[in-house]
Amino acid sequence: MATAMAATAAERAVLDEEFRWLLHDEVHAVLRQLQDILKEASLRFTLSGTGAEGPTKQENFILGSSGTDQVKGVLTLQGDALSQADVNLKMPRNNQLLHFAFREDKQWKLQQIQDARNHVSQAIYLLTNREESYQFKTGAEVLKLMDAVMLQLTRARNRLTTPATLTLPEIAASGLPRMFAPALPADLLVNVYINLNKLCLTVYQLHPLPPTSTKNFRPAGGAVLHSPGAMFEWGSQRLEVSHVHKVDCVIPWLNDALVFFTVSLQLCQQLKDKIAIFSSYGSCRPF
């Protein structure tokens, strides 16, 4: 009995020593690694032209589609803003070519990119708030920090992977259609959003429903991408989507950011799992 108790005490001492090393050394090593990765992610969002103080550089992206060539164009991204857009639309019915571009005095903020960058900055702040000299005393303290960091990273990732669902009246009222010169025709709506690592442009062609229409009018709800046949009311006019044209372009640095988020979340989870293992052996007492 005494020998068994001694062995148990020895095992407990070893576990306690390993847990002390985890709290005092490995946790800070993981925090440093996370800071390095997230600073790289943050640099992707900054995209300064000549160092940290330089102006944010402009990047041109050619719009493409695996379907028809009804829409072609170039979008210019400057950090979290769409600074230029040059779009050609071939009308399906008569092959008329429409050209529209951003007014020179206008930029369109991409809230998804701005929000994702802010969440990354908050995650970095949480990590740097625990200096090398700081000593974690409990596993629960580490878990709380990891949960807070993972929450920010998950929110950052979700802002890029989950575009907002908008109703057609919300798209019409967004102000984006008024960014163009010449002004868009009344029977066109446009929407721009981020989906994963892509910048997407959607053009909706509309036609009015006559007051004598026998169609059962059912306003469409919110959606990332509306389909032909979707109806809505704008002002005193009832409208229906007749054609939808979606084109996009890959933003390589958004792909980098998503990879950094995934790797960081995995590191956080691995550290949480190690804490959980010691908890299962009852070795998470304060030090």
Side-chain angles (χ1 to χ4, degrees):
M1 177 70 73
T3 303
M5 291 180 64
T8 302
E11 291 170 356
R12 175 59 62 80
V14 170
L15 285 171
D16 284 351
E17 186 61 32
E18 290 181 353
F19 184 57
R20 183 181 291 107
W21 175 83
L22 176 68
L23 287 182
H24 293 178
D25 294 278
E26 186 169 0
V27 168
H28 279 292
V30 173
L31 297 190
R32 286 194 300 273
Q33 193 175 359
L34 285 168
Q35 287 180 51
D36 290 342
I37 294 171
L38 293 181
K39 283 176 182 175
E40 282 297 318
S42 183
L43 286 175
R44 297 302 190 276
F45 285 98
T46 305
L47 293 172
S48 294
T50 53
E53 300 303 320
T56 304
K57 71 177 182 181
Q58 292 188 340
E59 298 178 293
N60 294 325
F61 298 98
I62 298 174
L63 294 165
S65 170
S66 58
T68 63
D69 291 330
Q70 299 294 139
V71 179
K72 293 182 177 181
V74 177
L75 298 181
T76 303
L77 198 59
Q78 190 170 1
D80 61 4
L82 197 59
S83 59
Q84 295 174 28
D86 195 288
V87 181
N88 292 311
L89 170 64
K90 185 186 293 183
M91 304 294 280
R93 291 176 182 171
N94 54 17
N95 282 334
Q96 177 189 3
L97 187 64
L98 296 181
H99 173 260
F100 43 96
F102 270 8
R103 292 165 47 183
E104 292 184 2
D105 61 332
K106 294 290 184 181
Q107 287 192 345
W108 183 255
K109 281 287 185 181
L110 293 167
Q111 194 63 43
Q112 288 174 266
I113 293 180
Q114 192 173 55
D115 290 347
R117 182 183 62 195
N118 290 341
H119 288 306
V120 173
S121 297
Q122 184 60 29
I124 293 173
Y125 169 77
L126 290 168
L127 293 166
T128 54
N129 206 30
R130 293 289 185 266
E131 297 178 354
E132 289 282 346
S133 59
Y134 183 84
Q135 293 297 326
F136 290 92
K137 296 180 173 58
T138 66
E141 191 179 3
V142 179
L143 293 177
K144 183 178 179 181
L145 175 59
M146 289 299 96
D147 284 340
V149 171
M150 290 177 77
L151 177 63
Q152 295 301 324
L153 294 179
T154 300
R155 286 176 173 172
R157 183 176 62 183
N158 288 348
R159 286 301 284 135
L160 300 179
T161 61
T162 311
T165 56
L166 298 173
T167 65
L168 289 162
E170 285 173 335
I171 295 173
S174 69
L176 182 58
R178 293 182 289 279
M179 293 282 294
F180 295 93
L184 291 182
D187 60 351
L188 288 184
L189 276 184
V190 294
N191 189 28
V192 176
Y193 58 90
I194 299 294
N195 188 8
L196 293 167
N197 63 340
K198 292 181 178 180
L199 178 58
C200 305
L201 171 73
T202 305
V203 180
Y204 296 102
Q205 285 183 250
L206 315 170
H207 68 83
L209 291 172
T212 57
S213 174
T214 58
K215 283 192 174 183
N216 186 13
F217 180 73
R218 293 183 179 177
V224 174
L225 181 66
H226 292 273
S227 302
M231 302 177 189
F232 70 108
E233 193 164 1
W234 185 242
S236 58
Q237 181 72 63
R238 289 182 171 183
L239 301 161
E240 182 179 26
V241 175
S242 60
H243 297 83
V244 179
H245 312 287
K246 179 179 175 293
V247 287
D248 54 48
C249 47
V250 173
I251 312 298
W253 58 265
L254 281 179
N255 190 66
D256 293 345
L258 288 167
V259 171
F260 289 140
F261 296 162
T262 299
V263 172
S264 299
L265 285 164
Q266 289 173 344
L267 282 173
C268 291
Q269 188 59 53
Q270 287 168 4
L271 185 55
K272 288 181 64 177
D273 290 344
K274 289 180 181 180
I275 297 289
I277 290 172
F278 282 100
S279 275
S280 67
Y281 287 104
S283 298
C284 276
R285 300 192 308 277
F287 288 101

